[in-house]
Every structure is written in structure tokens, then in C-alpha cells.
Amino acid sequence: MGTVTETYFDGATAQPPHPAARDAYAAALSEGWAGPGRLYTLGRRSRMLLEAARQSAAASLGVSADEVTFTSSGTQAVHAGVLGVIAARSEPGPLVHSAVEHSSVLHAAQWFEARGGRVAAVPVDRLGRVDPDPLAGVDGGDEASVLAVQSANHEVGTRQPVAAVAAGAGDVPLVVDAAASLPWEPVPDGWSVLAASARKWGGLSGAGILVVRKGVRWRNPFPGEDSSIREAIGEIDVPAAVAAAASLRAVVAEREELSKRARALTEQIREHIALTIPEVELPGDPVDRLPHIVTFSCLGVDGEVLLTELNRAGFAVSSGSACASTRLRPSHVLQAMGVLSHGNVRVSLHRETTEAEVERFLEVLPGIVESIRRLAR
């Protein structure tokens, strides 16, 4: 029996390493392995590489280099961004976030609440979109320490009205988790803090980016000295940071073309699923969405079984019903939207996805769903 070639359809979790990331990492590994805070020659070389990477990332993001800090992950960037803004307040108000934020935001909120803080989750509509003025319905919303609203949803792709939210937030700092959208499109203006993960755009695991705009107060929320952001974050993987900056620069240069191609493929997937699979729901905004994500939920189908059968057929997909493969549970995003949250599959494309791969997936998917339903009867 031949081995089935695996087709990777989980680009929203991690993109395959970009060639620019591979080349930059290999080049930096021989020069940037020493601690960049040291005064000897090897340390200075690492520091120079790190500073060059920071300047490159800042140019790609359209911000100042001194606003950019590399982190060890996107999760660390989110935690430092959300909790650091709160820590800078002498009398913290509530932490307000949309109900469909990534688990990293929810965990930061739980951590804050366990230490006596107030937390408010703002509901979304059936498409997964938050109200443009989310603080209006929150008790004490105008005194909030921070408002966390993602640029676009990581499970269903729905874009959030970032510019309108920022305008409505007034003086409340807006923290935007841009991990899902940054590889595909610019982030709208108005945010105070931006967090992202390099592996989402073809960088390597072990690198994230935190951007704190000038004038935004930030204080170290973690154990250690009340120091600058970079000192509070601690030592980072310099070659990974260099790779993150190089791949981000490459992705920004090519993302308009790649986004157009990905959107054509996801439109094809959406249309085919709607036509060939009965009792299926395609949650999220059908138009105002990220170009690379398609999520669908099949009534009467166990999500774990569907993922397993697709894997056997050679397709690596994920489910919105889990933050990790070992913790399958209904998706908080889909539940907040009020849509079907079982039998859920997220297909997310990447820069190397081909039309042939999509066509093969669409050929086998209806039969797999039907066979699962038949066995469950």
C-alpha cells in the first residue's frame, strides 16, 4: 500500500518556512548565537544583527524601530502587550476583549481576573464581528485599562472594524492581535499595541513581534525588574528574530498577489462545499474576511472523526473546536457567534498551496462526510 502524500491545509496555525527565513536564519546562526547584551565582539555582532532585524521589521510595519520588540512567541507578545498596558495604570479599570479573541488573550484575562481585576467580554454578531463601539455596552467601559480586539478572526476569517473600534475607544489603549491577518494584508490604523507571531507568515517558531506605539504607557507585568520592554521580555533567539524580519519583508512585498490567489481558491472551496454537502454551515462573513481561511461545520458529523478521515486521505486540516489536538472541545468562537460548533473543520491555505491540491480535496471531501454520516446512523 502506497504512502499518501500529505497536503498541508493549516496555514493559519503555521506557514511553511519562507525561503527568506531559511536563508536569513542560516546566515545569522554563525554570527548571532551569542548574547546581544554582552560587550565582547560576539555579543556586539548579535546586537547589530538584532538591531538590523528590528529596523527591517519596523519598515515592513510602517512604525519606528524603537517601537518594535521581538518576543519568543506570539503568545508572549499578546501577554506582554495586554498585561503591560494594565500594569502601567495606577488604578486599573476593566480589561475588555471581544468574545472571539485568541486563547492567548483569554488566558491573559483569566490571569488578570484571578488577581482581582475586572474583565468584560464583548459579544459579536452571527458573522463574528464586534460592534464598532464595543465599550458602549460595558459597565465602566470608559475607564477600561485596555481593549483587546483582533484584526481578524483566526477561526472563521471575519475582519474586525479596527479603525472604527479605535475611534470609539477614545483614550483607552487598543491592543490588536494581528497574527491572523498580518501575512495577508496591512492592519488598519488606530491601534496602540500590536502583537503577531512569525510562524504565521513563514518565519520560524520562537519569534513574535510586539509593537507599542510611542506615548502608550507600558510597565513590566512579570516577575523581574521594572525595566524596559526589551529587558522585561528577556533573551530572545537572535537568528529567529532575523529570520522573522527577513520573511516579513518578503511577505509584505508579495502579499497582494498571494492574497488574490488565495481568495480565488477559498471562493472555490466555499462554493463547492455549499453545492455538494447537505446540511453544512459556512460561518463567518462571506465577503469581508481574510483570503485564506474557510471554516465549515457539518451537521451530524463528529469533528474528530472528520479530521482523522481527512488525515488518512492525505489532508492536514485543523478544527475550530480545539486549541490543541489533545483538547478537542466546542469552539468558543463559534459558540459566541451562535453557529454550529460541532463537526467543524478549518481549511487555511498558505503561499505554496496549489490549485491541484484544492481540487483533490474537493473531490474527496463530500464522500468522506457522507460515509461518516452513514456509519453514524
Side-chain angles (χ1 to χ4, degrees):
M1 184 175 180
T3 302
V4 177
T5 301
E6 185 173 54
T7 296
Y8 183 72
F9 280 162
D10 196 19
T13 294
Q15 295 269 332
H18 195 287
R22 296 175 187 269
D23 293 344
Y25 186 83
L29 193 59
S30 62
E31 296 288 330
W33 55 267
R38 303 306 178 187
L39 297 179
Y40 42 73
T41 301
L42 287 172
R44 290 199 299 271
R45 287 177 183 170
S46 290
R47 187 162 60 253
M48 290 173 62
L49 285 172
L50 187 58
E51 183 56 33
R54 185 177 293 115
Q55 291 178 0
S56 174
S60 297
L61 296 170
V63 300
S64 299
D66 58 0
E67 295 175 322
V68 175
T69 300
F70 288 103
T71 64
S72 63
S73 66
T75 293
Q76 187 189 35
V78 167
H79 290 171
V82 172
L83 298 175
V85 170
I86 295 174
R89 293 283 295 268
S90 56
E91 296 183 11
L95 186 169
V96 183
H97 64 84
S98 85
V100 294
E101 294 299 303
H102 187 268
S103 58
S104 58
V105 172
L106 303 188
H107 293 158
Q110 292 166 4
W111 190 92
F112 177 60
E113 190 172 34
R115 284 151 182 80
R118 288 182 291 154
V119 172
V122 179
V124 295
D125 62 20
R126 195 170 176 85
L127 296 177
R129 185 167 289 112
V130 73
D131 187 274
D133 189 7
L135 294 175
V138 176
D139 184 25
D142 56 345
E143 299 176 354
S145 290
V146 66
L147 171 61
V149 176
Q150 58 195 182
S151 54
N153 188 258
H154 54 290
E155 289 190 21
V156 299
T158 297
R159 294 192 185 105
Q160 298 294 354
V162 172
V165 169
D171 293 332
V172 176
L174 175 61
V175 176
V176 172
D177 171 12
S181 69
L182 193 57
W184 302 95
E185 56 195 32
V187 180
D189 293 332
W191 49 269
S192 306
V193 176
L194 190 78
S197 171
R199 66 179 186 159
K200 307 294 185 180
W201 64 71
L204 306 179
S205 295
I209 287 182
L210 173 66
V211 185
V212 179
R213 301 309 304 257
K214 292 176 181 175
V216 177
R217 294 170 59 198
W218 188 95
R219 186 175 181 179
N220 182 16
F222 306 123
E225 298 179 4
D226 185 15
S227 52
S228 69
I229 297 178
R230 289 168 200 163
E231 291 171 335
I233 293 299
E235 292 284 357
I236 64 166
D237 185 337
V238 173
V242 172
S247 53
L248 180 60
R249 182 174 63 249
V251 164
V252 167
E254 67 190 10
R255 66 183 173 190
E256 185 175 348
E257 177 185 347
L258 291 177
S259 294
K260 183 178 179 180
R261 185 168 69 85
R263 185 169 294 278
L265 292 175
T266 54
E267 289 288 355
Q268 181 182 352
I269 295 172
R270 290 176 63 89
E271 291 173 5
H272 188 87
I273 288 175
L275 287 173
T276 60
I277 302 179
E279 298 181 295
V280 67
E281 188 170 15
L282 290 143
D285 195 304
V287 178
D288 191 10
R289 61 178 177 85
L290 294 178
H292 67 301
I293 294 177
V294 177
T295 293
F296 59 95
S297 303
C298 302
L299 189 65
V301 173
D302 182 279
E304 187 173 2
V305 173
L306 181 53
L307 292 185
T308 300
E309 291 305 312
L310 285 171
N311 186 61
R312 286 178 178 170
F315 297 98
V317 299
S318 67
S319 174
S321 61
C323 293
S325 60
T326 57
R327 297 195 307 275
L328 281 172
R329 58 194 179 197
S331 161
H332 73 276
V333 170
L334 300 181
Q335 288 182 326
M337 294 167 60
V339 300
L340 185 64
S341 60
H342 294 278
N344 174 259
V345 169
R346 180 186 69 184
V347 175
S348 50
L349 311 184
H350 54 88
R351 62 184 303 278
E352 298 175 8
T353 300
T354 66
E355 186 174 357
E357 290 173 331
V358 169
E359 290 176 350
R360 190 170 75 86
F361 175 74
L362 295 178
E363 286 175 3
V364 305
L365 177 63
I368 290 175
V369 173
E370 174 56 28
S371 65
I372 294 172
R373 284 174 168 164
R374 187 168 56 249
L375 291 172
R377 292 185 187 124

